């Protein structure tokens, strides 16, 4: 299989991985770099969690502002 190098960042650390052409990054990591794949999933879960917290804070603030205006 022809392959090409890709640079990815996980937890603010740079990695260069060589993946066969036609594989998306997650599929390639899952098959050829399972440890990096697990870390990428953990990082994405953390990012999603932080976004949920940020959204809750924003929603609470907007609810408060609406209450003040009522």
């Amino acid at each position: 299989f022809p392959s090409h190098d890709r640079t990815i960042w996980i937890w603010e650390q740079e990695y260069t991985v060589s993946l066969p052409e036609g594989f998306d990054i997650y599929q390639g990591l899952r098959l050829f770099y399972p440890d990096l794949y697990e870390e990428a999933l953990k990082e994405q879960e953390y990012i999603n969690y932080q976004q949920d917290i940020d959204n809750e804070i924003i929603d609470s603030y907007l609810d408060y502002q609406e209450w003040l205006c009522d």
Side-chain angles (χ1 to χ4, degrees):
F1 288 97
S3 65
H4 62 282
D5 290 346
R6 295 182 68 175
T7 301
I8 61 172
W9 290 83
I10 300 174
W11 299 114
E12 298 182 12
Q13 187 167 348
E14 182 179 341
Y15 297 92
T16 301
V17 294
S18 183
L19 301 174
E21 290 184 23
F23 279 77
D24 78 8
I25 191 71
Y26 285 100
Q27 182 185 28
L29 288 177
R30 183 176 58 81
L31 293 173
F32 302 106
Y33 299 90
D35 292 340
L36 284 179
Y37 176 72
E38 289 296 321
E39 286 304 310
L41 292 180
K42 288 176 187 175
E43 181 184 44
Q44 188 59 52
E45 185 178 310
Y46 175 79
I47 290 167
N48 292 344
Y49 175 75
Q50 291 300 318
Q51 288 173 343
D52 288 346
I53 289 174
D54 291 346
N55 289 339
E56 286 181 27
I57 292 169
I58 291 168
D59 288 345
S60 294
Y61 176 76
L62 293 175
D63 288 345
Y64 175 72
Q65 291 296 317
E66 183 179 348
W67 177 81
L68 287 176
C69 293
D70 286 344

